[in-house]
Amino acid sequence: MSKIIELSALELRDAIATGEVSATEATRSYLDAIESLNPKICAYNQVFTEEALQRAEQIDKKRSAGEQLGLLAGLPLAIKDNICTSFGLTTCSSRILDNFRSPYDATVVEKLIEADAIILGKTNMDEFAMGSSTENSAFGITRNPWDTSRVPGGSSGGSAAAVAGRMCVAALGSDTGGSIRQPAAFCGVVGLKPTYGRVSRYGLVAYGSSLDQIGPITRDVKDAALLLEVIAGHDARDSTSVDEPVPNYLAALDDSINKRLRVGIVKEFQHDSIDQEVIDALEKAIEIFDKAGAEIIEVSLPHSRIDIDSAGRITSYAIACYYLIATSEASSNLARYDGVHYGRRTSQKVNDIIELYSKTRAEGFGDEVKRRIMLGTYALSAGYYDAYYLKALKVRRLIKNDFDAAFEKCDVLLCPTAPELAFPIGQKTDDPLKMYLSDVFTIGANLAGIPGISIPVGLSKSNLPLAVQLLANVFDEQTLLQAARVLEQTIGLGQLKPELIEDA
Ligand code: GLN
């Protein structure tokens, strides 16, 4: 059998179920991998060594006693640090929450534990999930296991780097504008953002509440289906979670698609400024679908059209609309960190409550978070609300209408995940607008509430992961996963492995 940390989640689960590998052995293997690689990669904010081993022992006992095991029995997983756990800290990689202990588990965490998974630790991220490179963490920059001088993407960069670096078998991330899919693309793993409402947000620290969604980051498509099946479903504690039955995503992957798959290519997503290797990867994916008998259709998303702004940068209405809505919602959501309700309070001398708030917030938040609170507060203020926030909501509706029209003609849309490959650390840190452009292909799915997946399709000339993205209509994760599997099976990459990881 191959080395434990090389097995996919599904393979490892089966090896644990048959007794070939124990949950304790699996957990130890991953803890060893974390010990040797995490100092270099900085994927984890916290590791629960003792607790994870205790859990593993319990699961092994359960197995030996012949008790029924859950769907994720013995799988060592990592959780993004904006998802609440009743054990350890939940910091959102922010100084303002660096001592915050959640009194409860997020619904997704409850579900993972019920399914007998083992939580290895909490992963690094851009502070409050604001960013595309994990450089905005208050606790250090996560590095890309494929090239440690480059970013892993963000904001779920810690989760993606942990999965790619074999420091967990799979992980959860959150995606407000691409934060699962873009880091998955940069790290050569699979990242799935479910339909808005498919997975409960209860216990996910809110950034942009109408956009946020939790989803899996895994080494292959089957593992994504397995994890989604466990975390999806209605939750009375999240009023935006939808009461729709959860299909058996994994079993459906083995069914052949019983109709001719219609793959839409977005006319407006073509531009000279997109990295040539990204375009080549997309063309390769189109060819695969074509050869697999899919119908390739050109579709139009006029309000997501890619343009060039006056400074020569790629832009789109979708980017402008997203950065108004996300920052507006963030400015309201982040008002709760005042030094009284949660987390850190300033130790400076203050004269009144206002000073307590402002000193606490000035110390606790990083620059990007402050920038977004200011932007959002401005967009929501009397006098500007109609011109900015309300206008952005109208543009959002137009973008959604475009997607609705596109899905009348096709089952999935195929497009790049990001306009470029993993970029060098520091390249975009002093130009926030440049950083925002990383999201040009991903934010549409959040604005429209539809599911999307990023799938690795190979390596670039400089040995960096290449990826493409598939999008589907609301609640059609099944077709999305099936289409992703067509790509994965044809390309036969399964699990890409960075050189950094030693062989057994
Ligand atoms: N990069 C985007 C942002 O900075 C998306 C982040 C996310 O999806 N959490 O807002």
Side-chain angles (χ1 to χ4, degrees):
M1 195 185 64
S2 32
K3 204 173 166 189
I4 292 177
I5 59 169
E6 290 309 324
L7 300 176
S8 73
L10 208 56
E11 288 164 347
L12 180 59
R13 181 194 74 176
D14 293 346
I16 290 171
T18 57
E20 209 178 329
V21 173
S22 70
T24 307
E25 279 172 306
T27 306
R28 271 196 211 287
S29 302
Y30 277 108
L31 289 170
D32 289 348
I34 294 171
E35 205 178 291
S36 69
L37 207 53
N38 196 51
K40 217 182 275 172
I41 303 292
C42 193
Y44 282 91
N45 285 344
Q46 259 183 107
V47 180
F48 306 128
T49 308
E50 292 311 313
E51 299 83 341
L53 286 169
Q54 273 168 21
R55 277 279 294 161
E57 205 178 304
Q58 281 168 12
I59 288 158
D60 286 332
K61 278 199 187 131
K62 229 168 134 173
R63 200 196 86 82
S64 348
E67 279 177 50
Q68 173 94 27
L69 294 175
L71 271 182
L72 306 180
L75 296 185
L77 306 180
I79 308 282
K80 187 176 181 180
D81 209 7
N82 60 349
I83 299 175
C84 288
T85 46
S86 58
F87 41 95
L89 301 167
T90 300
T91 71
C92 295
S93 289
S94 179
R95 272 191 302 277
I96 211 156
L97 289 178
D98 62 6
N99 61 359
F100 176 63
R101 286 181 187 277
S102 166
Y104 63 92
D105 283 320
T107 299
V108 290
V109 172
E110 272 181 14
K111 286 184 179 238
L112 294 181
I113 292 175
E114 260 171 45
D116 288 331
I118 293 164
I119 315 285
L120 287 173
K122 306 288 284 280
T123 54
N124 201 6
M125 53 185 279
D126 285 299
E127 186 177 3
F128 284 104
M130 297 175 186
S132 304
S133 65
T134 319
E135 291 167 293
N136 294 336
S137 163
F139 310 136
I141 300 168
T142 299
R143 289 168 184 270
N144 193 317
W146 288 91
D147 176 348
T148 54
S149 71
R150 290 176 186 265
V151 303
S155 63
S156 312
S159 288
V163 176
R166 299 346 187 217
M167 289 185 272
C168 61
V169 71
L172 292 187
S174 71
D175 192 310
T176 304
S179 279
I180 290 177
R181 292 161 286 157
Q182 184 255 21
F186 280 17
C187 291
V189 292
V190 172
L192 169 66
K193 180 202 96 75
T195 306
Y196 185 77
R198 178 74 291 189
V199 175
S200 168
R201 290 182 299 114
Y202 180 76
L204 169 68
V205 177
Y207 159 21
S209 313
S210 75
L211 305 155
D212 299 338
Q213 194 60 193
I214 297 172
I217 298 182
T218 56
R219 296 209 211 121
D220 65 24
V221 174
K222 281 195 166 180
D223 285 0
L226 171 69
L227 252 74
L228 180 63
E229 208 170 298
V230 171
I231 62 172
H234 180 240
D235 178 9
R237 295 174 295 187
D238 169 6
S239 60
T240 61
S241 95
V242 176
D243 199 357
E244 282 272 332
V246 179
N248 188 332
Y249 295 115
L250 190 58
L253 273 185
D254 292 327
D255 299 346
S256 51
I257 306 176
N258 51 12
K259 55 179 181 206
R260 188 171 179 208
L261 189 71
R262 297 167 305 163
V263 178
I265 310 296
V266 185
K267 195 160 82 190
E268 292 82 1
F269 278 3
Q270 292 158 15
H271 206 282
D272 296 347
S273 51
I274 301 168
D275 189 312
Q276 189 55 44
E277 288 190 279
V278 170
I279 297 172
D280 295 346
L282 180 69
E283 270 160 16
K284 177 170 153 190
I286 296 175
E287 208 182 296
I288 290 171
F289 278 117
D290 188 34
K291 284 207 180 119
E295 189 182 344
I296 312 288
I297 306 162
E298 190 176 75
V299 296
S300 175
L301 299 176
H303 297 91
S304 303
R305 192 183 68 217
I306 295 190
D307 256 324
I308 290 290
D309 70 8
S310 52
R313 292 178 288 228
I314 310 176
T315 185
S316 77
Y317 289 136
I319 295 240
C321 169
Y322 168 83
Y323 276 96
L324 280 166
I325 292 174
T327 57
S328 296
E329 293 185 13
S331 74
S332 164
N333 278 324
L334 270 61
R336 58 170 67 90
Y337 307 105
D338 56 6
V340 179
H341 290 87
Y342 302 90
R344 173 193 279 265
R345 173 182 300 180
T346 182
S347 50
Q348 295 179 59
K349 196 180 148 347
V350 293
N351 295 312
D352 55 32
I353 185 82
I354 300 296
E355 221 182 308
L356 174 86
Y357 293 160
S358 61
K359 289 214 160 115
T360 298
R361 289 165 69 84
E363 282 172 19
F365 290 136
D367 289 348
E368 183 60 26
V369 174
K370 285 178 185 155
R371 179 180 295 121
R372 295 196 187 198
I373 292 173
M374 285 190 282
L375 262 171
T377 307
Y378 184 82
L380 289 178
S381 58
Y384 292 107
Y385 179 94
D386 289 0
Y388 294 114
Y389 181 67
L390 199 60
K391 187 67 127 230
L393 292 184
K394 291 179 180 171
V395 175
R396 182 179 193 172
R397 167 49 65 185
L398 295 174
I399 290 171
K400 167 80 175 133
N401 290 349
D402 289 348
F403 277 106
D404 287 348
F407 288 121
E408 303 237 315
K409 294 199 200 128
C410 63
D411 306 303
V412 289
L413 296 176
L414 172 65
C415 60
T417 309
E420 59 193 348
L421 312 182
F423 47 84
I425 289 172
Q427 193 193 63
K428 297 181 202 292
T429 34
D430 40 8
D431 187 349
L433 283 179
K434 243 195 212 159
M435 189 73 88
Y436 297 173
L437 303 178
S438 296
D439 310 322
V440 70
F441 297 119
T442 45
I443 44 181
N446 303 78
L447 290 166
I450 60 174
I453 190 167
S454 178
I455 315 124
V457 291
L459 293 176
S460 73
K461 291 189 204 89
S462 51
N463 211 37
L464 292 171
L466 294 167
V468 294
Q469 179 181 219
L470 288 165
L471 304 169
N473 209 347
V474 284
F475 295 104
D476 201 6
E477 278 83 358
Q478 209 148 327
T479 307
L480 187 70
L481 288 160
Q482 280 173 330
R485 185 86 180 120
V486 168
L487 267 186
E488 185 180 72
Q489 271 178 320
T490 315
I491 296 175
L493 293 168
Q495 302 190 11
L496 285 179
K497 182 175 155 193
E499 273 167 22
L500 186 86
I501 299 160
E502 291 158 43
D503 281 317

